[in-house]
Amino acid sequence: MHSRQLPCQRAVCGAQLQRCPSRKTTPRLQCTAATTDPLLLRVARGEEAERTPVWLMRQAGRYMKAFREYSDKYSFRERSETTDIALKLSLQPWEAFQPDGVIMFSDILTPLPALGIEFDVIKGRGPIIEIPIRSMEQVQALTPLEDPQKKLPFVQETLSGIRSEVGNQATVLGFVGTPWTLAAYCVEGRADKHCTKTKTMMAKNPAVLHALLSHLTSNIADYVCYQIEAGAQVVQLFDSWAHHLNPSQFATFSLPYVEEVIQRVRTRHPDTPIIFHANGGTGKHHLMKTSTANVIGLDWRCDMALARQTLEDRPVQGNVDPTVLLGPQDGIAQAVQDCMEAAGSQGHILNVGDGVTPNIPEENVAYFVRMATQQAHSRNMTESDMAVAVC
């Protein structure tokens, strides 16, 4: 591992441009200003930056041949709960594409067994909770997280391992499911396109649902803090099932609990940025604006420019349609350009508006990242100043 400077470096705002040191890297420009903090972390904090950072949700996934060598051999929980494997899978996309964020390979359901809710991930069926939570007695019988180091040691080991490997060349991301999304999984017992059992509880026994949401909220907050203390520099809250809620339901059963998680985390880790991503957030941005999350994640269904208007100066993340990556590379380049132009030059983390799917070609993910890193944004740099070498 070594670092080589560009033949001609330009001083910008007291900074120098240099190549990023890394293994098997595409040459990249990095601004080493007064702080050595990685780019994505700085943007998530609301700071101005030399370019737009990029990573992809579900970037560690089956679309990668190297990933399938493990997924074809080991079950999901074996992979995510065995530190050596989880670490390798987390690092695969960083080593291959050099995105600005490296997210831990895990699942939003990972903390549930520590709360007394067992689950498994069945190939072809997805997550299954054999004993769903349907009564107040079951909610009251749930256990607190209490000692995550004892119950979930592999999370700490994976995150600290990622941080050790990438240093400040990329931002280490942790993540959790929001209370609503986890509660819906717990009640349904599996993915359900209509979320009927949870919606029935919402209508007939809202006290049970609120009790479950409250229990999950305090423990999710503790789990976020555990991830931060293990090495996560930014944490994303995934409201994967927000699309099941209309705006009024979202304002009642999701947003207040998300906000409580954020506030609980802030009391212990006030300087760690939090991203709030709601799948199905379109039509709810006026509500999400009230969240105190540092960054609002946008799904691919919304118009970036309109979302920017609604959210005003709040940093945003997103929101290229991941299916664009199934098409030709000129279409990918156009989608990247359109998204970045609509988002503006500051306060934007480029991402897909949903996870990378298994049928997307690896070379198109590499191209997506490369196109993003070529789009240099700075009030103090011209395009000629920020030329990027691309293999």
Side-chain angles (χ1 to χ4, degrees), residues 17-45:
L17 295 179
Q18 66 180 31
R19 290 185 189 268
C20 291
S22 58
R23 294 175 291 177
K24 300 189 291 185
T25 67
T26 298
R28 296 268 301 281
L29 295 177
Q30 172 178 292
C31 184
T32 54
T35 177
T36 58
D37 288 340
L39 175 65
L40 191 153
L41 174 59
R42 289 185 276 124
V43 172
R45 289 195 301 228

Side-chain angles (χ1 to χ4, degrees), residues 111-118 133 135-147 151 176-184 186-187 206-224 253 256-258 260-261 264:
L112 292 186
L115 307 181
I117 306 168
E118 285 297 331
I133 306 300
S135 71
M136 186 65 80
E137 291 74 20
Q138 286 178 292
V139 174
Q140 293 170 343
L142 296 176
T143 57
L145 183 58
E146 286 184 339
D147 187 356
K151 294 181 177 180
V176 297
T178 63
W180 157 253
T181 289
L182 292 184
C186 291
V187 175
V208 177
L209 183 54
H210 281 297
L212 177 57
L213 287 164
S214 294
H215 183 83
L216 290 169
T217 296
S218 59
N219 288 285
I220 288 168
D222 288 342
Y223 184 46
V224 172
F253 294 97
Y257 295 100
V258 168
E260 185 177 342
V261 170
R264 283 173 175 264

Side-chain angles (χ1 to χ4, degrees), residues 7 28 35 60 68 81 191 203 205 271 290 294-295 391:
R28 296 268 301 281
T35 177
R68 293 194 298 273
E81 298 178 16
N205 297 295
D271 298 325
T290 67
N294 302 81
V295 181
C391 290

Side-chain angles (χ1 to χ4, degrees), residues 99-118:
D100 295 298
V102 181
I103 192 164
M104 167 182 64
F105 175 72
S106 186
D107 192 83
I108 60 173
L109 303 187
T110 292
L112 292 186
L115 307 181
I117 306 168
E118 285 297 331

Side-chain angles (χ1 to χ4, degrees), residues 149-167:
Q149 179 64 57
K150 180 179 179 180
K151 294 181 177 180
L152 304 166
F154 50 88
V155 171
Q156 188 276 332
E157 293 161 0
T158 300
L159 282 167
S160 62
I162 297 170
R163 187 75 179 272
S164 176
E165 286 290 326
V166 306

Side-chain angles (χ1 to χ4, degrees), residues 190-301:
R190 65 198 67 210
D192 184 281
K193 65 179 181 179
H194 299 298
C195 209
T196 53
K197 293 179 177 61
T198 315
K199 289 292 193 75
T200 300
M201 180 182 288
M202 185 186 297
K204 293 184 175 182
N205 297 295
V208 177
L209 183 54
H210 281 297
L212 177 57
L213 287 164
S214 294
H215 183 83
L216 290 169
T217 296
S218 59
N219 288 285
I220 288 168
D222 288 342
Y223 184 46
V224 172
C225 292
Y226 176 53
Q227 292 188 22
I228 294 169
E229 289 152 13
Q233 296 165 291
V234 175
V235 177
Q236 177 154 315
L237 309 183
F238 280 95
D239 206 353
S240 306
W241 283 21
H243 62 288
H244 287 296
L245 300 173
N246 64 35
S248 177
Q249 293 166 339
F250 181 74
T252 302
F253 294 97
S254 180
L255 191 57
Y257 295 100
V258 168
E259 189 59 25
E260 185 177 342
V261 170
I262 293 171
Q263 293 307 316
R264 283 173 175 264
V265 173
R266 288 249 169 86
T267 61
R268 293 166 61 181
H269 299 284
D271 298 325
T272 300
I274 294 174
I275 303 170
F276 176 29
H277 176 85
N279 178 37
T282 302
K284 305 179 180 81
H285 293 153
H286 64 294
L287 296 170
M288 295 178 72
K289 181 181 177 180
T290 67
S291 165
T292 61
N294 302 81
V295 181
I296 299 297
L298 304 173
D299 68 22
W300 60 269
R301 300 167 184 84

Side-chain angles (χ1 to χ4, degrees), residues 68-85:
R68 293 194 298 273
E69 292 176 2
Y70 289 89
S71 62
D72 290 344
K73 186 176 180 181
Y74 302 101
S75 70
F76 178 84
R77 289 193 63 177
E78 283 180 297
R79 283 176 278 138
S80 63
E81 298 178 16
T82 303
T83 302
D84 289 347
I85 298 176

